[in-house]
Amino acid sequence: MKMEILDNKIQKTALYKSHKMLNAKMVPFCGFEMPISYPEGIQSEYYSVRNDVGIFDVSHMGEFIITGPNALQLLQKVTINDVSKLDVGQAQYSAMCYEDGGIVDDLIIYRKSDGYFMVVNAANIQKDFDWINQYVPNGTHLKNISSDISLVAVQGPRSRKLLSQFTDIDLVMPFYSFKEAVVCGFYVMVSRTGYTGELGFEIYASEEAVITIWDELIKVGAQPAGLAARDILRLEMSYCLYGNDIDETINPLEAGLGWITSLDKEKFIGFDRIQQEKKVGSKRRLVAFSMRERGIPRPGYKVYAEGRNIGYVTSGTQSPLLNTGIGLAYVDTPFNKIGQQISIAIRDKLLETIIIKAPFINNTSLHH
């Protein structure tokens, strides 16, 4: 997993003391002191989310508010998905690109009654804010509220049942929708989103609220889970991680994000370059692969086919559920077809691997 400190000042989330009390192993991550795992262990945390319910502190994520008469116009320009399709109460996965099509960041946009709420990656908060700020038209306001918002993710097949004990709203909600709610006596925003491939909810709240919600949910059985378990869960669903699988050198079509790239709306930044890529075809594609031999793939490992280097691994892990090494890699086309035999160089050995159809785990509970 990519760990980086963006500056010398490491920040702490509202739940820092809670993590310490739970004896979490803390690491610097994107400028924050974050829990990588708890004493029960990564496997236990992983299975709590796949089989029951886990809770993550994701307060390091960034949040912006965009308001004013030209808020939609701004978002249509800086993001690649079609924001005009959002009704109040809906959310949308999207990305921002540079003029050359490289990805600035991937993000989620929520449409509220009084404007838009954007959630960005922790490592990119200032970069994203400065990027959007260049394009803000008169009368439209962009505000960074990251330091005012805390966030927990409650994920797993039993998440709805557990969370229902603390709120009176109906949690039978469509995927990528949200509601304003009272949870544990605090006004919060509850969204049907997550990064695990399970039924789950994310709760945006004040620091005070998030401390209470975290404690109360753990008391009734939610198991705290850290960054390590989260990385395995997202990889099993082939969800991209910024800094590993996508960055400024990669465009959305190469990354398999054509489904969020709306080339039939007004032109966004990077539109021409991406449209051109679609016409001529990508020279490389992000693929999901499963190891045929024992070995754990890691970012940067080289991928081979027909005796030559055709790409590199961007994310890799051992899947507890599948009991095999899995990962994502960029490979040259035409070696990106499902069923293609490839090899990955691990410790000077070429280990047999096969490209599979993503995701690694098809989970029906996600959309229930």
Side-chain angles (χ1 to χ4, degrees):
M1 193 189 308
K2 195 161 183 170
M3 299 290 174
E4 58 182 324
I5 307 173
L6 294 187
D7 55 43
N8 296 325
K9 183 173 174 288
I10 301 290
Q11 299 180 69
K12 294 178 172 66
T13 73
L15 295 169
Y16 177 79
K17 285 182 182 170
S18 304
H19 301 316
K20 295 297 278 185
M21 282 171 65
L22 291 164
N23 294 314
K25 182 184 176 187
M26 305 295 285
V27 296
F29 181 73
C30 299
F32 285 81
E33 193 84 3
M34 297 295 290
I36 193 164
S37 61
Y38 297 85
E40 291 82 357
I42 296 164
Q43 292 256 349
S44 173
E45 296 165 33
Y46 165 88
Y47 279 111
S48 74
V49 176
R50 283 279 177 254
N51 299 330
D52 190 31
V53 58
I55 187 167
F56 301 86
D57 177 11
V58 273
S59 301
H60 60 313
M61 300 295 280
E63 293 87 14
F64 306 152
I65 289 174
I66 304 99
T67 54
N70 296 316
L72 175 59
Q73 176 193 326
L74 170 64
L75 291 172
Q76 289 289 64
K77 183 181 179 75
V78 298
T79 69
I80 65 177
N81 209 334
D82 189 352
V83 188
S84 70
K85 291 182 175 172
L86 281 179
D87 290 326
V88 173
Q90 291 182 330
Q92 181 185 77
Y93 179 56
S94 191
M96 298 188 291
C97 289
Y98 295 106
E99 290 288 0
D100 66 359
I103 299 171
V104 179
D105 202 4
D106 64 330
L107 51 96
I108 298 178
I109 294 174
Y110 295 87
R111 186 179 171 195
K112 303 187 110 180
S113 57
D114 57 352
Y116 296 87
F117 180 77
M118 180 188 285
V119 181
V120 301
N121 284 299
N124 297 334
I125 295 171
Q126 195 59 50
K127 179 187 81 171
D128 290 355
F129 185 81
D130 293 342
W131 175 252
I132 301 166
N133 214 22
Q134 302 173 82
Y135 302 101
V136 175
N138 286 339
T140 299
H141 303 284
L142 170 69
K143 189 179 181 188
N144 180 359
I145 58 163
S146 304
S147 56
D148 303 327
I149 301 280
S150 290
L151 173 60
V152 289
V154 187
Q155 304 279 302
R158 212 163 60 85
S159 57
R160 181 184 286 127
K161 189 174 181 184
L162 198 83
L163 188 55
S164 291
Q165 298 173 47
F166 300 98
T167 183
D168 57 359
I169 64 161
D170 184 0
L171 293 175
V172 178
M173 301 158 59
F175 197 40
Y176 271 75
S177 69
F178 70 94
K179 290 179 179 178
E180 307 291 341
V182 174
V183 175
C184 297
F186 293 92
Y187 286 102
V188 302
M189 184 176 113
V190 176
S191 73
R192 252 291 273 120
T193 48
Y195 202 44
T196 63
E198 295 293 339
L199 171 69
F201 302 86
E202 292 183 306
I203 304 169
Y204 295 86
S206 68
E207 290 198 355
E208 184 191 3
V210 110
I211 292 166
T212 301
I213 292 165
W214 174 268
D215 289 345
E216 291 300 319
L217 290 176
I218 289 171
K219 276 182 201 166
V220 295
Q223 183 172 335
L227 291 171
R230 189 168 180 255
D231 198 51
I232 298 168
L233 292 156
R234 71 93 192 165
L235 187 46
E236 288 181 340
M237 293 303 294
S238 302
Y239 291 154
C240 289
L241 176 64
Y242 194 91
N244 282 45
D245 315 300
I246 50 175
D247 59 31
E248 68 281 355
T249 68
I250 290 157
N251 72 54
L253 302 186
E254 294 173 320
L257 297 175
W259 62 280
I260 62 165
T261 309
S262 184
L263 293 171
D264 54 3
K265 71 165 184 173
E266 57 264 46
K267 283 191 177 184
F268 53 82
I269 298 160
F271 181 97
D272 291 339
R273 178 66 190 83
I274 292 167
Q275 191 175 51
Q276 183 190 355
E277 175 98 8
K278 191 171 185 181
K279 281 179 188 165
V280 300
S282 302
K283 292 194 173 83
R284 60 180 177 176
R285 291 299 295 260
L286 187 67
V287 298
F289 65 83
S290 179
M291 302 293 294
R292 285 292 181 86
E293 296 185 78
R294 194 161 182 79
I296 301 175
R298 296 297 183 202
Y301 286 7
K302 289 181 177 176
V303 180
Y304 290 85
E306 298 178 3
R308 65 187 179 90
N309 178 207
I310 56 143
Y312 61 96
V313 175
T314 58
S315 289
T317 194
Q318 176 79 6
S319 165
L321 209 57
L322 304 174
N323 195 29
T324 190
I326 62 168
L328 300 174
Y330 279 98
V331 300
D332 298 341
T333 50
F335 296 102
N336 61 317
K337 304 287 188 292
I338 291 160
Q340 168 78 43
Q341 302 284 333
I342 56 173
S343 300
I344 292 174
I346 301 181
R347 294 195 187 89
D348 301 323
K349 282 186 182 173
L350 284 177
L351 300 185
E352 280 186 30
T353 310
I354 189 166
I355 293 176
I356 65 149
K357 187 178 191 298
F360 297 94
I361 290 174
N362 282 307
N363 200 330
T364 54
S365 84
L366 177 61
H367 297 288
H368 287 177

